[in-house]
Amino acid sequence: MKNPEECKTNNQQQQQQEMAASSAAMDGVAATALRSVLQRVHQAADLSGRESQRIRLVAVSKTKPVSVIRQVYDAGHRYFGENYVQELVEKAPQQLPEDIEWHFIGNLQSNKVKPLIAGVPNLAMVETVDDEKIANHLNRVVGSFGRKPLKVLVQVNTSGEESKSGVEPSGCVELAKHVSLSCPNLQFRGLMTIGMLDYTSTAENFKTLANCRSEVCKALGIPEEQCELSMGMSGDFEQAIEMGSTNVRVGSTIFGAREYPKKK
C-alpha cells in the first residue's frame, strides 16, 4: 500500500501540473485572440479607408496574471492597459519587460498619483484626466520626479451617465486648454470616452467625442490629426475605428472574462 502522505504529495503535484497546463493553454488562447483582434482592427481600418498602423490596440490586462500578459508580449504586443494603480504597480516594472508602454485607463484618485508615477517608470499615458484638480496633481508629481512630460487624454462623459467619470462635453475645451497651457509636465494628446455598456447609444457617444475633438482643436489651433480619440472596447471597437478612433481598449476579447477574487 502507498503511504497516505505520498498519495497526498502525488495529488498535490498532479493538481499543480494541471493548473500549469491550464495556465499554458490560456496563455496560448490569449496570443491567438490577440492576433484575431489585430486582424479585425486591420479589416475595420480598411473598410473605413484608414491606415491600420495609425490605430493603437491597448490590451487591457486587469485581473490577469503576469504569465498571460507575458504570452501576449511574447507574441509581439507592447501596448497594455490597467484600471487599478495597485495592480499596475505590482505588475510593472518588476515582473514585466520595461519596453511595455503602459496606459492607465481607470479612474485616478489624487492619493494614487504619486504611487503610479513612482512605481511605473514606463507609464506611457494616463487616459482618464477628468478635471483640473487631477491634472494639476499629475503635473506637480510628474515634475517632482523629473521625468519627461506625461502624455494624457481628457476623459469625456459622452453618455451622460452619473456612474461614469469624465468631464461634460461642454467642459472639454476648457479642460483641454488647462492641460495644454497650464500643465507643462503633461502633454495633451487627445480625448477618451467609454460608451454605454448596453451599446444602445454607442454611435451617438462616439460622434459626440468626435465633435468635442473638432471644438478642442479649433480652440487650441491644432490639426485634428494631432488629437487622438480613445474610444471602443471589446464589444464596439470596430465601430469605433469606423468613426475615427485612434486608440481602442480591448480586454476580455483577448484575455477572457475578468477574474475577480471571490468574496469570503
Side-chain angles (χ1 to χ4, degrees):
M1 284 183 67
K2 287 187 177 180
N3 185 309
E5 286 299 319
E6 184 181 342
C7 290
K8 183 178 179 181
T9 300
N10 288 339
N11 287 338
Q12 288 175 337
Q13 289 175 342
Q14 184 178 355
Q15 288 176 349
Q16 289 172 349
Q17 289 170 354
E18 289 173 353
M19 288 175 64
S22 175
S23 177
M26 176 54 70
D27 290 353
V29 167
T32 301
L34 169 74
R35 287 187 281 270
S36 174
V37 171
L38 285 170
Q39 185 177 14
R40 290 168 63 186
V41 168
H42 285 294
Q43 290 172 342
D46 289 342
L47 285 172
S48 52
R50 300 179 60 201
E51 297 177 15
S52 59
Q53 61 265 33
R54 296 178 68 88
I55 300 162
R56 182 191 305 109
L57 168 64
V58 176
V60 181
S61 50
K62 70 176 181 181
T63 79
K64 296 301 175 179
V66 167
S67 61
V68 180
I69 299 171
R70 185 63 194 241
Q71 180 69 19
V72 173
Y73 173 91
D74 289 342
H77 204 63
R78 294 295 179 269
Y79 304 109
F80 291 85
E82 286 285 345
N83 290 64
Y84 305 110
V85 171
Q86 184 176 347
E87 191 175 347
L88 176 51
V89 170
E90 288 173 356
K91 289 176 179 176
Q94 291 88 350
Q95 301 187 68
L96 289 162
E98 60 182 17
D99 64 334
I100 286 178
E101 295 194 24
W102 288 103
H103 285 227
F104 184 76
I105 62 172
N107 179 248
L108 185 58
Q109 298 172 323
S110 294
N111 65 337
K112 298 292 186 180
V113 169
K114 188 172 182 179
L116 176 65
I117 302 303
V120 191
N122 51 335
L123 179 67
M125 182 181 286
V126 170
E127 297 200 18
T128 49
V129 172
D130 59 2
D131 61 29
E132 290 188 8
K133 178 183 176 183
I134 200 68
N136 293 339
H137 200 49
L138 262 174
N139 182 63
R140 284 194 299 271
V141 173
V142 170
S144 71
F145 279 91
R147 59 166 287 167
K148 64 181 181 181
L150 176 67
K151 298 173 185 175
V152 300
L153 303 181
V154 166
Q155 181 176 358
V156 185
N157 185 346
T158 56
S159 63
E161 295 169 278
E162 290 185 7
S163 60
K164 284 216 179 95
S165 300
V167 65
E168 295 295 317
S170 60
C172 67
V173 169
E174 286 306 310
L175 183 53
K177 285 171 66 176
H178 178 79
V179 172
S180 298
L181 305 175
S182 302
C183 300
N185 298 308
L186 303 182
Q187 185 180 4
F188 173 74
R189 291 301 297 266
L191 306 173
M192 175 267 214
T193 198
I194 300 171
M196 290 278 279
L197 290 178
D198 61 4
Y199 306 116
T200 54
S201 61
T202 296
E204 183 181 334
N205 299 157
F206 292 166
K207 186 176 181 180
T208 296
L209 196 70
N211 291 340
C212 286
R213 177 172 68 175
S214 298
E215 295 173 10
V216 166
C217 290
K218 183 177 180 180
L220 295 178
I222 60 175
E224 291 193 8
E225 294 73 30
Q226 289 184 16
C227 187
E228 292 206 38
L229 289 181
S230 176
M231 57 189 195
M233 300 189 293
S234 284
D236 55 16
F237 69 88
E238 288 154 312
Q239 182 180 8
I241 290 170
E242 292 172 13
M243 298 187 70
S245 178
T246 62
N247 187 85
V248 293
R249 312 176 303 273
V250 179
S252 58
T253 302
I254 296 173
F255 293 105
R258 307 284 183 233
E259 297 170 3
Y260 296 102
K262 294 180 180 179
K263 294 181 180 180
K264 295 181 179 180

